Amino acid sequence: PDAAQVQDLDARAHYLDRAHVFHSWSAQGALDPMVVAGGLGSHVWDHAGRRYLDFSSQLVNVNIGHQHPAVVAAIQEQAALLTTISPPTAHLARGEAARRITDRAPAGMNKVFFTNGGADAVENAIRMARLHTGRDKVISRYRSYHGNTGAAVVATGDWRRVPNEYARGHVHTFGPYLYRSEFWATTPEEEGERALQHLRRVIECEGPSGIAAVLLETIPGTAGVLVPPPGYLAGVRRLCDAHGIVLILDEVMAGFGRTGEWFALDGIDGGAAEIRPDLIAFAKGVNSGYVPVGGVVISDDIAAGFDETVFPGGLTYSGHPLAAASIVAALDAMESEGIVANAKRIGADVLGPGLRELAEKHPVVGEVRGTGVFWAIELVSDADARTPVAPAVIGRAKKEMLARGLLPFAADNRIHAVPPCVVTDDEVAHALSVYDDVLTLLDEEL
């Protein structure tokens, strides 16, 4: 098409969206969504050819990058062979996908229940915990996001829970977040110990015999990339063991390369040997969202409990062949191409050091924190008081980054640096230069 026709494609996409698409988490009237026509690796572009370096990974899910040829080919090949089949059947791609996931999971977790995405993975993990224990209550954190289905959104701790509180039996606690400590802590060790004591008291006061599960994001993502202090998750495991409580780790955002590990838990407190989750919810990075999919990795103990007892749950598209084929191809490619190792190296050697330099340079940066390709830049208007910048400041930052060809991910008073795991050193350098420019503007304005 000529230039006029290309521009028309962008205009038509925008018109159709505003005329007919109802967007999530939004007041509809003022929306002005950017048009995305294609992508490759760490970049996306519109119909007119304007390119953006994707440092959002969309919703922190495109871990393998856009349009990875092996994953695209696997979906195409499976579509030519068999596009769909019902969950009660055995299907080779589904079995291969489950095996690849359990091969990377902690020992003693050999079964996978497939879902359509992360929210219903959390939903079914909660259901399994309640059925396994015969208890009702679920403890989760205020600073968390677990999805937009009935129990998952009530387990969520942020503002999205409040207008959606229809599920029963949910209790919230504060987890560790040293920069904004709820516990008057001054060191990571103090923060971890006091957060554990807070959780211990909540368990005692709620009645341990009625608590089915403690549900935690291994590293809270949308809430701020809150890497837990040493000993915290291992301490949660001990508390759960002491009271017969199921530990559910939500790795929907943090899993499959995002932290530079296959599972985020592998890089914390001695890994699976000390943390030993009973259930793991996953989605996003397992196939980079190429086809909707999620699931629950189940411990052998909990799985065995359903050998003679019916599990009262299911989904029409559980283990969908196209999704399963995309998982197999994605995990194989991530292994053979060293993509998880690249994410770890980028975080340790390039992105992390670069963000810390920006924090030293710019007064508007209160803190940077993260691991792998999972980082947050927390912006403040007063560094001493740690006052969060106003929403308008984040809006300005997003606009300036887009103008410079960088697609950001923003939440509250933070910009999250969350590129695909395939991001290169040069791409990180470009993003850091954009951050530097925009932070300089914010410094001057504030």
Side-chain angles (χ1 to χ4, degrees), residues 42-271:
S42 298
H43 288 83
V44 296
W45 51 83
D46 62 17
H47 293 283
R50 287 180 289 263
R51 291 173 61 87
Y52 301 89
L53 177 58
D54 188 357
F55 255 58
S56 70
S57 295
Q58 298 305 292
L59 287 175
V60 199
N61 63 297
V62 187
N63 291 9
I64 203 170
H66 294 275
Q67 299 301 110
H68 191 289
V71 186
V72 172
I75 296 168
Q76 292 170 333
E77 290 166 11
Q78 184 59 54
L81 182 65
L82 181 69
T83 52
T84 191
I85 195 71
S86 67
T89 62
H91 185 264
L92 183 59
R94 185 187 296 147
E96 293 284 8
R99 181 179 66 82
R100 280 161 174 77
I101 293 164
T102 57
D103 280 352
R104 293 169 172 88
M109 305 188 81
N110 291 294
K111 291 289 182 72
V112 176
F113 177 73
F114 285 109
T115 66
N116 299 331
D120 51 354
V122 171
E123 198 84 22
N124 281 281
I126 290 172
R127 182 180 301 174
M128 289 175 188
R130 284 173 165 164
L131 292 168
H132 178 73
T133 61
R135 304 172 182 180
D136 193 51
K137 290 183 182 178
V138 175
I139 296 178
S140 56
R141 292 187 285 211
Y142 283 110
R143 294 187 179 98
S144 67
Y145 179 70
H146 295 291
N148 187 33
T149 53
V153 76
V154 180
T156 290
D158 68 24
W159 66 270
R160 289 170 284 193
R161 179 190 85 252
V162 178
N164 289 299
E165 288 188 303
Y166 305 114
R168 70 177 196 273
H170 288 266
V171 179
H172 291 81
T173 66
F174 285 104
Y177 180 12
L178 182 59
Y179 186 70
R180 300 191 181 280
S181 177
E182 302 291 339
F183 311 111
W184 299 278
T186 58
T187 68
E189 292 75 18
E190 283 184 349
E191 183 74 359
E193 290 168 3
R194 295 175 186 185
L196 279 172
Q197 175 61 13
H198 171 58
L199 176 59
R200 181 180 295 109
R201 291 294 292 134
V202 170
I203 290 172
E204 291 169 353
C205 292
E206 289 294 331
S209 63
I211 299 169
V214 171
L215 165 64
L216 305 175
E217 290 174 274
T218 309
I219 298 176
T222 306
V225 191
L226 305 176
V227 179
Y232 176 74
L233 286 181
V236 174
R237 174 73 269 176
R238 290 192 294 271
L239 281 174
C240 289
D241 286 343
H243 298 292
I245 297 169
V246 170
L247 176 58
I248 305 170
L249 290 185
D250 179 344
E251 295 241 359
V252 169
M253 186 175 286
F256 295 100
R258 178 57 48 189
T259 67
E261 307 283 351
W262 284 107
F263 286 99
L265 66 93
D266 294 329
I268 299 171
D269 290 350

Side-chain angles (χ1 to χ4, degrees), residues 55 350-369 375-380 383 401 406 415-417 427-443:
F55 255 58
V350 188
L351 183 55
L355 291 174
R356 293 187 187 101
E357 287 182 13
L358 293 179
E360 291 292 326
K361 178 179 179 181
H362 296 285
V364 74
V365 178
E367 183 179 58
V368 299
R369 53 185 176 265
W375 292 81
I377 309 165
E378 182 150 355
L379 304 183
V380 294
M401 289 176 192
L406 186 73
I415 300 296
H416 291 199
E427 289 168 341
V428 171
H430 175 67
L432 290 171
S433 70
V434 172
Y435 290 146
D436 192 16
D437 288 348
V438 174
L439 292 171
T440 298
L441 290 177
L442 299 185
D443 286 336

